[in-house]
Amino acid sequence: MTTRAWWLVVLNFVLPGSAQVLAGNRRLGRFGLGATLTLITTAIIVGVVYLLWPTVVLTVFTSTIGLWAAAAVLAFYAVTWLVLTLNTLSLIRLGRAAPGARPIIAAFSTVLMLFVTGTAGYGAFVATSASGFLSSVFVAGPSEPPVDGRYNILLLGGDAGADRDGLRPDSMSVVSIDATTGQATTISMPRNLEDVPFSTGSSLGALYPEGYGSIDGCDVSGTCMLNSIFTEAEVKRPEYYPNAVAEGSSPGIQATLEAAQGITGLTIQYFVLIDMQGFSDLIDALGGVDIDVQNRVPVHTDEYFNKVLFWFEPGMQHMDGYHALWFARSRHGTSDYDRMQRQTQMQEALLAQASPTNVLTKFQGVAAASSRVVKTDVPQGMLPYFVNLASKTKKLPVISVPLIPENGVDPEDPDYSAIRAMIAAALAPAPTATPAP
């Protein structure tokens, strides 16, 4: 009877329903066995489809209907496996097993029950949470096609503080992604660029036909640099962009996007705004980030800018959210260009370390942090494509094009024609070797 009990417990775990077919209620067993075999078959089919056409599977699991359907299926199996396990415990007749084996069998069965039903139940919980998260972050709207074979996304890192009017982006870059290969190029734009041109048809560009700063007193503080454009459009001239909010953007974001297009010469399809104040929550939710510190970076106090609290020393360091934010934003004793390089490094580290397994196991924290941190106009319908494209991006080195003096860019007197030529050269596909005749 002890051997029989072990066999039934193991069979119930390996192939739920088989224990009932062999030694119990065959009708219940056939139902459980059919449900189990259906799940196994479905999983095999989904796996094959993912290998051949990954976008199809990703479309299902990034849509609200698909996620709720997955949650319903997982909840059904959680209940089914719970019933089958409890029924199996009644079939093994613990009272007739060897006395020493009874507590072991009971404990083992309970652990298996909690593992199987708990996994399915957690999966259903994650699916419903994911549906709410995707709906809250990503908008419903038409998809934009690639332009010249590329998707260009404006990435803004902003910090709205109590001591400033509106939000002034601390970090601005354009991520240009090859729509076929996934090769990503990051174009980092210093916040102190002057005489910024706007793209054709820009609302704010009509006010500054000679470039941003061609009239006195740009934003509310009288500043006329690139990062002031957001504040001016958001706080001082929102009437220039009356439809921005309805389209999922804002006057400040739209004006900055038009400026980024004027600087780079690229058509930018989407934006992503990251609230730097909540950035540390996202890092913590992911379990931290590993950064190879190249040079000593100081961290100063808020009250006394010249007082150093501590230093990031060179070498590999695992940083939590608090330290990662300081590493990306510290300016004490360094320049804006040093900070741009560290921010690009942080982006690359997050891209490399945010694996699907890591995100899934910590999904609740990531979802909660992301919904507070991220604002974007990427439509939910584009997620399958971008998730699939990101899997290619992770396998390739990220090309960096910082618009800094070392690359011939003078922020006080920039040559935007030369900047656009430099960007076009960086984005040009590598020439293929011509075979000798």
Side-chain angles (χ1 to χ4, degrees):
M1 293 303 295
T2 301
T3 302
R4 175 181 179 276
W6 279 114
W7 270 107
L8 291 177
V9 169
V10 172
L11 283 172
N12 177 69
F13 174 72
V14 174
L15 200 61
S18 58
Q20 284 72 24
V21 170
L22 290 175
N25 185 330
R26 287 184 172 82
R27 184 176 179 182
L28 175 62
R30 285 193 295 270
F31 174 80
L33 199 56
T36 301
L37 294 176
T38 299
L39 179 64
I40 294 173
T41 303
T42 302
I44 293 173
I45 293 173
V46 170
V48 172
V49 172
Y50 181 77
L51 291 175
L52 299 177
W53 307 285
T55 305
V56 174
V57 176
L58 294 172
T59 298
V60 173
F61 290 106
T62 55
S63 67
T64 300
I65 295 176
L67 287 169
W68 276 100
V73 169
L74 289 170
F76 164 77
Y77 276 100
V79 174
T80 300
W81 290 334
L82 176 63
V83 171
L84 291 174
T85 302
L86 292 175
N87 182 258
T88 301
L89 285 173
S90 68
L91 295 177
I92 62 179
R93 300 176 186 176
L94 277 177
R96 299 179 62 182
R102 294 172 192 171
I104 300 175
I105 294 173
F108 186 68
S109 301
T110 302
V111 170
L112 291 181
M113 178 180 66
L114 294 175
F115 173 75
V116 174
T117 60
T119 300
Y122 179 73
F125 178 63
V126 167
T128 55
S129 300
S131 177
F133 160 66
L134 296 179
S135 298
S136 66
V137 172
F138 298 95
V139 300
S143 301
E144 297 287 342
V147 176
D148 297 328
R150 307 191 72 85
Y151 276 103
N152 304 305
I153 301 172
L154 174 65
L155 184 61
L156 300 172
D159 184 5
D163 57 344
R164 59 174 63 180
D165 293 313
L167 177 149
R168 187 173 297 146
D170 284 337
S171 171
M172 288 166 285
S173 58
V174 174
V175 181
S176 184
I177 309 166
D178 188 295
T180 302
T181 66
Q183 176 69 65
T185 300
T186 300
I187 304 162
S188 304
M189 300 178 294
R191 62 181 191 147
N192 59 338
L193 274 178
E194 297 182 10
D195 302 320
V196 174
F198 293 86
S199 55
T200 303
S202 165
S203 298
L204 202 58
L207 181 64
Y208 298 101
E210 303 300 323
Y212 188 61
S214 55
I215 64 175
D216 293 332
C218 297
D219 75 349
V220 291
S221 66
T223 306
C224 297
M225 298 188 298
L226 172 59
N227 72 330
S228 308
I229 293 174
F230 190 105
T231 308
E232 173 158 1
E234 195 80 13
V235 178
K236 197 174 178 181
R237 307 185 196 277
E239 68 278 5
Y240 278 52
Y241 299 91
N243 301 320
V245 175
E247 295 172 354
S249 181
S250 76
I253 293 172
Q254 191 60 35
T256 305
L257 186 147
E258 292 170 353
Q261 290 184 144
I263 294 169
T264 63
L266 302 174
T267 298
I268 299 176
Q269 293 97 330
Y270 302 112
F271 77 86
V272 178
L273 171 65
I274 298 178
D275 176 13
M276 300 299 285
Q277 292 282 36
F279 179 73
S280 62
D281 293 338
L282 181 60
I283 299 292
D284 286 335
L286 287 168
V289 62
D290 295 320
I291 293 291
D292 185 7
V293 179
Q294 300 295 319
N295 301 292
R296 295 187 80 200
V297 177
V299 174
H300 58 79
T301 64
D302 292 333
E303 297 82 29
Y304 305 102
F305 191 79
N306 293 320
K307 181 179 180 181
V308 175
L309 290 176
F310 59 89
W311 295 80
F312 292 105
E313 299 295 343
M316 288 298 301
Q317 295 194 29
H318 182 80
M319 300 182 187
D320 59 13
Y322 170 81
H323 292 89
L325 183 60
W326 264 116
F327 177 77
R329 299 190 63 204
S330 175
R331 283 190 294 147
H332 178 75
T334 63
S335 68
D336 278 339
Y337 309 116
D338 295 329
R339 186 168 70 159
M340 286 167 57
Q341 189 277 330
R342 294 196 303 272
Q343 290 169 352
T344 300
Q345 183 183 9
M346 183 67 67
Q347 293 171 18
E348 294 175 5
L350 281 175
L351 176 65
Q353 297 172 43
S355 66
T357 302
N358 189 27
V359 172
L360 182 62
T361 55
K362 300 164 181 174
F363 181 80
Q364 288 307 114
V366 172
S370 298
S371 61
R372 295 192 305 269
V373 171
V374 177
K375 176 181 176 63
T376 182
D377 63 347
V378 173
Q380 191 170 348
M382 283 295 292
L383 288 182
Y385 176 83
F386 278 139
V387 170
N388 187 42
L389 192 63
S391 66
K392 300 178 183 179
T393 301
K394 286 173 64 69
K395 300 175 183 177
L396 299 171
V398 177
I399 300 172
S400 179
V401 184
L403 306 184
I404 58 177
E406 285 78 357
N407 284 339
V409 178
D410 180 358
E412 296 182 358
D413 185 23
D415 184 343
Y416 288 106
S417 295
I419 288 174
R420 288 188 283 267
M422 178 174 61
I423 293 171
L427 299 182
T432 56
T434 303

